[in-house]
Amino acid sequence: MTYVEGFVVAVPTANKEAYRKHAADAAPLFKEFGVARMVECWGDDVPDGKVNDFKGAVQAKPDETVVFSWFEYPDKATRDAANQKMMSDPRMAQMGGAMPFDGKRMIIGGFDSIVDDAKGGDGKTGYADGYIVPVPDANKEAYRELAQKMSGVFIDYGATRVVEAWADDVPDGKVTDYARAAHKKDGESVVYSWVEWPSKEARTQGWEKMMADERMKASSENTPFDGARMIYGGFAPIVEA
């Protein structure tokens, strides 16, 4: 199954084009290192939460927008080898000196997919729902089973892909990290997940139909995680390579 390197970062809204260009210019280099797919998504419908949210996860300022992005690898070994190449390649050092965002507040981690379902199509992402969820380790299989069922619901109503990835190599950060983002407790792991849609309109219509589906109602009654600490938002892709 797919191995995921997930990122969340706060970018000055005025730097959107500079960030897009920075990511697009880096894409061929990442591909050379072994990244199978790279997607960068700009915050579009990112609500404030009562307990936590994407903005708080990266300490976003009022003039900043949250970016939700990921690298996909065929396996962890390929990801580990890619990271070693990135650390030693002088081209990466040159790129790092001109980042249009505060790298200290970027959160990053490696996640092993436990659900990866796709519907046939052209493979392009028109819109994405992004999630960060804290799940008790003892509930991993219950979460996977629920996520698998919900994946079918999403795809029934127009989603093109659903990925749920369990924390594998998720380091603590000095300023921000996934543990703080999800208010993770001892005995819990963070799940990084996303749902791909062909467009924002398809996502809006899909959600309207899903909210009336009995499967959605049944799944919300016995969730194997604390939904109050789930972070979610809608994102528009700006780079896909």
Side-chain angles (χ1 to χ4, degrees):
M1 302 259 300
T2 303
Y3 194 86
V4 176
E5 190 93 81
F7 308 84
V8 184
V9 61
V11 180
T13 304
N15 290 355
K16 180 179 181 179
E17 178 54 26
Y19 181 88
R20 187 206 63 77
K21 186 177 186 304
H22 179 84
D25 289 348
L29 188 59
F30 292 138
K31 182 178 179 180
E32 178 185 324
F33 292 149
V35 175
R37 184 173 181 238
M38 165 187 170
V39 182
E40 298 273 353
C41 299
W42 191 260
D44 173 71
D45 180 16
V46 183
D48 295 334
K50 293 182 179 180
V51 179
N52 52 347
D53 52 38
F54 272 113
K55 298 169 189 174
V58 289
Q59 298 181 14
K61 301 174 184 177
D63 63 347
E64 293 179 325
T65 297
V66 176
V67 170
F68 181 88
S69 62
W70 66 88
F71 292 169
E72 297 179 34
Y73 295 94
D75 50 50
K76 183 180 180 180
T78 304
R79 175 265 197 175
D80 290 346
N83 279 350
Q84 288 185 347
K85 294 174 185 176
M86 291 178 195
M87 294 296 291
S88 60
D89 195 300
R91 293 172 294 177
M92 288 295 295
Q94 293 173 1
M95 291 180 54
M99 294 189 298
F101 60 92
D102 178 9
K104 293 180 181 178
R105 288 183 285 132
M106 179 175 70
I107 60 177
I108 180 173
F111 300 81
D112 198 13
S113 63
I114 55 175
V115 172
D116 188 350
D117 292 337
K119 182 179 180 180
D122 61 10
K124 291 292 183 180
T125 303
Y127 202 81
D129 281 314
Y131 303 89
I132 298 173
V133 190
V135 182
D137 293 332
N139 292 352
K140 181 177 181 179
E141 180 56 24
Y143 181 86
R144 191 202 62 76
E145 290 179 358
L146 175 62
Q148 190 73 66
K149 292 177 182 177
M150 295 311 303
S151 174
V153 179
F154 277 111
I155 289 177
D156 282 349
Y157 290 115
T160 55
R161 190 175 179 210
V162 179
V163 176
E164 299 270 357
W166 191 268
D168 172 72
D169 180 15
V170 181
D172 293 334
K174 293 183 179 180
V175 180
T176 53
D177 54 36
Y178 280 106
R180 278 177 272 197
H183 293 193
K184 187 179 83 70
K185 301 176 181 178
D186 290 343
E188 291 183 332
S189 291
V190 175
V191 170
Y192 179 99
S193 67
W194 71 88
V195 178
E196 299 179 30
W197 301 90
S199 65
K200 183 176 181 179
E201 292 73 21
R203 177 249 201 176
T204 299
Q205 294 171 8
W207 269 107
E208 288 177 353
K209 295 174 182 177
M210 283 192 296
M211 294 306 292
D213 193 296
E214 290 298 325
R215 292 173 293 178
M216 285 289 289
K217 296 176 183 179
S219 68
S220 64
E221 294 175 356
N222 291 302
T223 55
F225 60 92
D226 179 8
R229 290 183 286 134
M230 179 178 71
I231 300 174
Y232 59 92
F235 299 84
I238 55 174
V239 174
E240 183 173 358

